[in-house]
Amino acid sequence: KLMGEGFTYLEDAEAAVLGICLLEKSAFGRTYGLIDENCFYFKDNQIIYSCLKEMNGNGIPIDIITVCERMAEKKAELSGKNCAWYLARLTSFVVSSFHLEYHCLLLKKMLRRRELEKLTHSGIDLYADEKEQAYKLSDKISNILGNEVKQDWYSMDELMFNLLMHQEEIRRGNKVFITTGFKAIDKLNGGFSPGQLIVIGARPAVGKSALAGLMAIAMSKEKKVVGMISLEMNNTEIASRLASVDSDIEFSKIHRNLFVDENQHRKFYDFITKNTINHSIYVSDKTKVDINEIKAKASKLKFRHGLDVLIVDYLQLIDTIGGNKNYNREQEVAKISRGLKLLAMDLQIPVIVLCQLNRSVTARKAKDRYPQLSDLRESGAIEQDADVVLMLHRDWMSGYEIHPETGESTQNKADILGVKWRNGAPFHLEIDFDPQKMKFMEKSRSTFGHMNQQIMTNENNDDITF
């Protein structure tokens, strides 16, 4: 009744899949990863496929005799059927094994229909927390629609064809990398890519949020929609920072309204009403947000306005779900980090997350004073999940008022270190910093070392020379 007219066809398809697995040595391997026992509607077929999976995992040959023997050992009984008779009957449905994968896809499709029908008729618990129920429903729908079948193996001709198509998409401008806000880094590594998790690490008060604001403004100028979730600052503080970066006016004047006169304030008003308000940046300043709420916020923004980049400030302030006492902090951060990476892949956008560094970095001196991957707080999983890790460093905040090598003041100097860049080159870029405007600026001629070489670039030259 649940399946309607497709019921008999479903029974035949299940029998055909099991029958082929009983007859052909390599057949079960072709079904592995496409389906599991839950894809079978009939209980007896579920039992048999579960037995086949166990036998395959233990290296036991699969045929009618071995399956009968294994089911007898497990005392797995079919509903009123003789095991050998039923298995032999299943093989009678086999015409050819050529369409085995197609029949598996059919079973998967019918499973989804059954699960969606159960979900729509299951109702809700009136006494349970509505937010928790919403998350559970969302997870169930994701599970139903997830686990898409993917091709397992690609030949060299397919790989090279896909590579050429990738290059052609870039040439046509259909696959655009997203700016980092710094031309030198974009020229070296191509900017950020959809699906990437980008981590920006720094000690407190070094300028992580200011750097994120600079990136957001630069991205929006390239017609990208940017979402910013701040767990540390309120909307007014964020607005002041963004306005300062965009208008090139001191942060304190904007945030505390310290303009010299009405004329100066009028100029600021004219600028933000003509320019800043047109940036496609959306901000959420809600505190105590967990990874599920971040996913929900991002999905909602993408549906309503589009979403090209998501910035989260910052990782250690993201709430854990459930507060499991058996998890230590590193395990909780690992779940958050993995969740952000999956979000980037699901929405096909770069997700930029700011991260605190351990205090140990402040104890290192001379050339060792710069942050490293291991300085990320609760760093294990973050290092693995991140596609890009940028470190922000300012000697002035580390107690080096005079640069130990050049002898210059470090108050207006900063460094960005690319300590990890999957499919790109690591780098150390020196930049300028204006503490009054809380603004990082790229030098007109950027020099940064890489693998004991010098990479030179300037804003008027598109070439990078080694």
Side-chain angles (χ1 to χ4, degrees):
K1 188 175 181 181
L2 177 69
M3 304 310 299
E5 295 178 358
F7 185 84
T8 302
Y9 185 43
L10 174 65
E11 185 176 17
D12 294 346
E14 289 189 8
V17 169
L18 294 174
I20 294 170
C21 291
L22 292 169
L23 289 175
E24 292 196 8
K25 181 179 179 180
S26 61
F28 183 84
R30 291 165 58 190
T31 72
Y32 190 82
L34 295 180
I35 58 173
D36 58 23
E37 56 268 28
N38 294 326
C39 291
F40 292 88
Y41 176 74
F42 299 97
K43 186 67 176 177
D44 290 342
N45 293 343
Q46 290 180 7
I47 294 171
I48 293 169
Y49 190 84
S50 179
C51 181
L52 298 183
K53 186 164 69 172
E54 181 189 351
M55 292 173 66
N56 181 72
N58 293 327
I60 302 173
I62 295 174
D63 59 34
I64 294 177
I65 296 173
T66 56
V67 174
C68 277
E69 180 183 12
R70 185 60 183 161
M71 291 185 66
E73 290 174 0
K74 293 179 60 179
K75 297 182 180 179
E77 297 182 359
L78 303 179
S79 54
K81 302 182 182 73
N82 176 274
C83 181
W85 172 83
Y86 187 67
L87 294 178
R89 180 178 177 274
L90 291 175
T91 61
S92 68
F93 285 82
V94 177
V95 177
S96 167
S97 65
F98 189 78
H99 300 297
L100 174 59
E101 288 81 2
Y102 177 80
H103 292 313
C104 289
L105 293 179
L106 173 68
L107 299 189
K108 191 91 170 181
K109 179 180 179 181
M110 301 305 277
L111 170 67
R112 286 174 175 168
R113 288 187 180 180
R114 295 196 298 271
E115 292 300 317
L116 285 172
E117 189 161 340
K118 286 180 186 176
L119 202 59
T120 55
H121 290 82
S122 60
I124 61 172
D125 184 353
L126 296 176
Y127 300 99
D129 181 70
E130 65 278 3
K131 185 184 293 186
E132 185 178 347
Q133 286 192 85
Y135 289 149
K136 286 181 178 179
L137 285 172
S138 177
D139 286 341
K140 287 179 180 179
I141 293 173
S142 296
N143 290 333
I144 291 171
L145 299 178
N147 299 319
E148 291 287 349
V149 178
K150 293 183 175 65
Q151 186 173 340
D152 290 325
W153 296 96
Y154 295 85
S155 63
M156 282 301 293
D157 62 331
E158 290 174 307
L159 289 173
M160 294 304 107
F161 177 78
N162 290 338
L163 174 59
L164 293 173
M165 290 300 295
H166 167 78
Q167 293 175 336
E168 181 65 16
E169 289 291 302
I170 294 175
R171 188 187 68 80
R172 292 180 177 179
N174 296 333
K175 191 171 280 190
V176 180
F177 295 101
I178 296 173
T179 182
T180 62
F182 297 91
K183 291 180 180 179
I185 300 175
D186 293 344
K187 289 176 182 177
L188 179 66
N189 286 336
F192 299 139
S193 303
Q196 283 187 331
L197 175 62
I198 297 103
V199 173
I200 299 177
R203 288 292 296 155
V206 170
K208 296 187 298 297
S209 300
L211 182 61
L214 170 70
M215 289 181 170
I217 292 290
M219 292 166 180
S220 66
K221 285 181 178 179
E222 294 192 349
K223 308 302 180 184
K224 303 299 180 185
V225 180
V226 183
M228 298 185 70
I229 298 177
S230 177
L231 312 181
E232 188 176 33
M233 297 183 294
N234 62 40
N235 282 342
T236 306
E237 290 176 292
I238 298 169
S240 300
R241 286 174 179 265
L242 294 175
S244 177
V245 170
D246 200 31
S247 65
D248 211 30
I249 297 174
E250 289 89 338
F251 170 78
S252 59
K253 281 187 178 180
I254 296 172
H255 190 62
R256 296 168 58 196
N257 196 23
L258 298 178
F259 293 99
V260 175
D261 52 33
E262 186 60 31
N263 183 51
Q264 192 179 56
H265 184 269
R266 184 70 190 181
K267 288 181 180 178
F268 167 72
Y269 174 81
D270 289 341
F271 181 89
I272 63 170
T273 53
K274 291 178 182 178
N275 299 279
T276 309
I277 63 171
N278 295 318
H279 290 309
S280 50
I281 301 174
Y282 298 86
V283 177
S284 172
D285 67 345
K286 184 180 177 182
T287 59
K288 293 186 71 65
V289 174
D290 60 39
I291 188 63
N292 281 337
E293 287 183 88
I294 290 174
K295 291 178 182 178
K297 284 173 177 284
S299 298
K300 188 183 297 182
L301 179 58
K302 185 162 188 175
F303 176 76
R304 290 182 177 176
H305 304 286
L307 180 62
D308 297 305
V309 185
L310 179 67
I311 300 174
V312 181
D313 182 10
Y314 59 91
L315 186 141
Q316 281 80 11
L317 290 181
I318 299 175
D319 249 19
T320 53
I321 302 172
N324 194 327
K325 295 181 180 179
N326 296 321
Y327 283 1
N328 59 37
R329 179 58 184 167
E330 190 163 339
Q331 289 174 311
E332 291 173 344
V333 170
K335 290 182 67 176
I336 294 170
S337 171
R338 189 59 186 159
L340 291 171
K341 173 60 181 174
L342 292 175
L343 175 62
M345 295 176 69
D346 288 344
L347 297 183
Q348 276 301 291
I349 60 171
V351 172
I352 302 171
V353 58
L354 311 188
C355 183
Q356 293 280 23
L357 298 184
N358 292 317
R359 190 173 294 141
S360 59
V361 68
T362 60
R364 298 200 300 267
K365 304 298 180 184
K367 292 183 178 180
D368 294 330
R369 68 188 185 277
Y370 297 111
Q372 304 168 3
L373 264 180
S374 57
D375 294 319
L376 291 170
R377 189 176 291 177
E378 297 106 8
S379 65
I382 306 173
E383 292 179 33
Q384 297 173 28
D385 292 328
D387 299 282
V388 176
V389 179
L390 303 177
M391 296 294 189
L392 182 62
H393 175 79
R394 286 171 56 204
D395 280 335
W396 183 267
M397 298 302 297
S398 300
Y400 288 88
E401 296 184 7
I402 303 297
H403 196 285
E405 294 160 13
T406 64
E408 299 176 348
S409 171
T410 62
Q411 185 175 9
N412 299 322
K413 305 294 181 184
D415 302 88
I416 296 179
L417 297 92
V419 295
K420 178 183 178 181
W421 197 301
R422 191 169 288 147
N423 302 322
F427 59 84
H428 181 159
L429 177 65
E430 296 177 355
I431 58 176
D432 292 328
F433 177 68
D434 187 336
Q436 299 301 320
K437 299 172 185 175
M438 303 186 73
K439 183 177 181 179
F440 294 95
M441 296 161 290
E442 189 169 13
K443 298 178 180 179
S444 60
R445 185 168 180 82
S446 302
T447 304
F448 50 101
H450 162 57
M451 307 284 286
N452 297 321
Q453 297 171 320
Q454 291 296 309
I455 301 175
M456 310 288 291
T457 183
N458 63 68
E459 58 186 23
N460 299 316
N461 184 2
D462 289 337
D463 295 327
I464 297 177
T465 58
F466 291 82

